Amino acid sequence: MATLATTHPTLIDLAKRMDPDDKIADIIEMQAETNPILEDMVWMEGNLTTGHKTTVRTGLPEPTWRKLYGGVQPSKSTTAQITDNCGYLEDYAEVDKALADLNGNTAKFRLSEDSAHIEGMAQELASTIFYGNEASQPEAFTGLAPRFNTRNTSIAESAENVLHGGGSGSTNTSIWLVGWGEKSCHGIVPKGSTAGMQMTDKGIVTIENVDGNGGRMEGYRTHYRQDVGLTVRDWRYIVRAANIDVTNLTKDASGSSADIIDLMTQMLEQIHTLNGVRPVFYCNRTIKSILRRQTVNKVAQSTLSMDTVGGKKVQFFDEVPVKRCDAILNTEATVAA
């Protein structure tokens, strides 16, 4: 059974390298519990304080078959320089001081109470990884969907890796196959930051209007800030199966239902290569449930299996992990040809 590549650093790895006290690493581990992408994504420190400037592959050189005494035409690949920006995600967590002090270990209690805020940031980050769009939300970063939003190769070369699931309208979802890697697709954090995460203990503050009637209380306040972005250096390592109409899905893939097994098989053949990257399928709970049911219905011996990775049961499709990410919507508009 294939296992996830460990040669590329995750955000947790990056935090542990830069944070000797492991405080930031502990917070990111809490995020990873509700955002499985953070367990897989490769992360790199950007070469800018606000993002990362990189050279993106847009085409390959064309070699020449040379005959004896024949010449070879020089060739070069086509590239483009782009700058991917980091977005700044922030939140404040506040805890009643009297309640926190009653528990003996104030710091531990505060962190446990802050867990809802940390989970909220993780869910927002996951959503932005897929749907973030600086054109409509300049303060965020651009995610995967805006980069793979057409099936027309005359508009974008990446359209070659956008498969049609047969649906139309606005009740669609997508399956993503991402080959995370330093030369394919990876997250970025600002240059010199601690894995893009900041936690500032604001100490004891007077919290205003706690009861909606102008009441006050003494409380502990913590400020969280996460500066992160996304770079797609080579679109060939990402495949999107779009236009999967969730209202038509059936366990036997009959009628107008999308055949999830067939789509995922096509995705594996469409990705440039699985070598040198950390490949993972992402889908929401609707698709993951249908995948298991269609597999049971279709064949007794299938490419779907379970294995244990890092102490967790992980589903695999043809040796590539399949992970549930409910940030992927069931209300996507049709990706047009």
Side-chain angles (χ1 to χ4, degrees), residues 77-231:
S77 64
T78 55
T79 59
Q81 274 205 332
I82 64 168
T83 298
D84 286 301
N85 297 313
C86 289
Y88 307 122
L89 186 63
E90 299 186 60
D91 197 9
Y92 286 92
E94 297 174 339
V95 179
D96 188 320
K97 180 181 181 300
L99 179 60
D101 292 344
L102 280 174
N103 285 269
N105 191 332
T106 301
K108 184 177 180 180
F109 180 80
R110 288 176 63 185
L111 185 58
S112 68
E113 289 295 293
D114 289 0
S115 61
H117 296 269
I118 294 170
E119 179 180 349
M121 292 181 71
Q123 291 180 1
E124 179 63 27
L125 175 56
S127 178
T128 307
I129 288 170
F130 288 105
Y131 300 110
N133 192 339
E134 290 175 78
S136 57
Q137 193 178 10
E139 63 275 15
F141 62 87
T142 298
L144 294 173
R147 305 174 197 243
F148 294 82
N149 65 348
T150 179
R151 291 156 46 217
N152 187 339
T153 54
S154 66
I155 296 176
E157 285 188 303
S158 60
E160 183 179 330
N161 279 15
V162 181
L163 307 183
H164 181 41
S168 60
S170 58
T171 55
N172 300 309
T173 191
S174 294
I175 303 171
W176 292 88
L177 173 57
V178 182
W180 300 110
E182 295 175 3
K183 295 182 179 180
S184 54
C185 177
H186 60 81
I188 52 175
V189 298
K191 185 177 181 179
S193 70
T194 307
M197 173 67 80
Q198 301 174 33
M199 180 187 72
T200 305
D201 186 351
K202 296 293 185 177
I204 302 171
V205 297
T206 300
I207 302 173
E208 307 283 346
N209 198 28
V210 293
D211 55 5
N213 294 314
R216 303 174 182 178
M217 74 174 188
E218 294 299 284
Y220 292 107
R221 178 178 292 161
T222 307
H223 175 240
Y224 293 96
R225 172 170 165 171
Q226 195 161 17
D227 304 350
V228 289
L230 181 73
T231 288

Side-chain angles (χ1 to χ4, degrees), residues 235-251:
W235 58 264
R236 298 174 300 167
Y237 289 88
I238 302 170
V239 184
R240 179 186 188 182
N243 303 340
I244 302 172
D245 191 337
V246 296
T247 64
N248 291 332
L249 291 173
T250 62
K251 66 181 181 180

Side-chain angles (χ1 to χ4, degrees), residues 3-140:
T3 57
L4 296 179
T6 57
T7 55
H8 305 299
T10 66
L11 198 59
I12 296 172
D13 297 330
L14 208 60
K16 288 183 176 179
R17 293 179 187 176
M18 307 173 73
D19 175 28
D21 296 328
D22 281 347
K23 291 182 179 179
I24 299 300
D26 289 343
I27 294 171
I28 294 174
E29 284 182 346
M30 291 174 68
Q31 286 188 316
E33 292 176 0
T34 55
N35 183 0
I37 295 179
L38 294 183
E39 298 175 326
D40 315 316
M41 277 186 76
V42 173
W43 290 83
M44 294 178 60
E45 185 178 5
N47 50 26
L48 303 173
T49 55
T50 57
H52 187 63
K53 187 174 184 178
T54 187
T55 300
V56 176
R57 181 79 59 203
T58 58
L60 295 174
E62 296 184 5
T64 302
W65 288 103
R66 190 185 75 85
K67 61 183 179 180
L68 292 176
Y69 299 103
V72 176
Q73 295 295 321
S75 65
K76 64 178 182 179
S77 64
T78 55
T79 59
Q81 274 205 332
I82 64 168
T83 298
D84 286 301
N85 297 313
C86 289
Y88 307 122
L89 186 63
E90 299 186 60
D91 197 9
Y92 286 92
E94 297 174 339
V95 179
D96 188 320
K97 180 181 181 300
L99 179 60
D101 292 344
L102 280 174
N103 285 269
N105 191 332
T106 301
K108 184 177 180 180
F109 180 80
R110 288 176 63 185
L111 185 58
S112 68
E113 289 295 293
D114 289 0
S115 61
H117 296 269
I118 294 170
E119 179 180 349
M121 292 181 71
Q123 291 180 1
E124 179 63 27
L125 175 56
S127 178
T128 307
I129 288 170
F130 288 105
Y131 300 110
N133 192 339
E134 290 175 78
S136 57
Q137 193 178 10
E139 63 275 15

